[in-house]
Amino acid sequence: KETAPGTYAWPQALRYCEELELAGRDDWRLPHARELQSLIDYGREGPSIDPVFGAEGGWFWMSTTSARYPDSAWTINFDVGTVLQDAKGLDSKVRAVRRRQ
């Protein structure tokens, strides 16, 4: 329910999640598009994410690479719920996820 410290380019965001050990777990990963989009609450703004998820605004990486532009990946802005493609070299925030057991 927390955002990783700092910002990361997409390759570093993937590595951060893969190397993360948190709460006794080491199976963390960067979420795909549907996972992050499911957190958007369009009835909220600034941030547009339910506070139960540790609400924080800004741009966040998704693991989903752009099919049209391989040097880009999908990002989501939790300030307003916008989803866009960004160059993988740009910095964005990270929220790691893992499979529920």
Side-chain angles (χ1 to χ4, degrees), residues 9-73:
W10 189 78
Q12 288 75 31
L14 287 173
R15 188 173 321 115
Y16 172 86
C17 293
E18 290 169 0
E19 295 175 356
L20 182 62
E21 291 185 26
L22 180 67
R25 301 290 189 166
D26 64 357
D27 58 346
W28 298 93
R29 62 182 171 75
L30 198 59
H32 58 69
R34 284 189 187 151
E35 289 172 316
L36 279 186
Q37 285 179 292
S38 73
L39 301 180
I40 296 172
D41 180 346
Y42 289 103
R44 298 177 182 275
E45 190 172 309
S48 63
I49 181 173
D50 193 307
V52 73
F53 296 109
E56 183 173 328
W59 289 97
F60 287 80
W61 282 118
M62 300 181 196
S63 64
T64 311
T65 297
S66 169
R68 179 179 249 176
Y69 305 104
D71 291 337
S72 296

Side-chain angles (χ1 to χ4, degrees), residues 2-8 16-17 20 56 60 93-96:
E2 294 185 19
T3 300
T7 57
Y8 303 81
Y16 172 86
C17 293
L20 182 62
E56 183 173 328
F60 287 80
K93 296 178 183 181
V94 172
R95 289 184 69 105

Side-chain angles (χ1 to χ4, degrees), residues 10 18 65 82-83 85 92 98:
W10 189 78
E18 290 169 0
T65 297
T82 305
V83 176
Q85 299 172 62
S92 286
R98 56 177 296 275

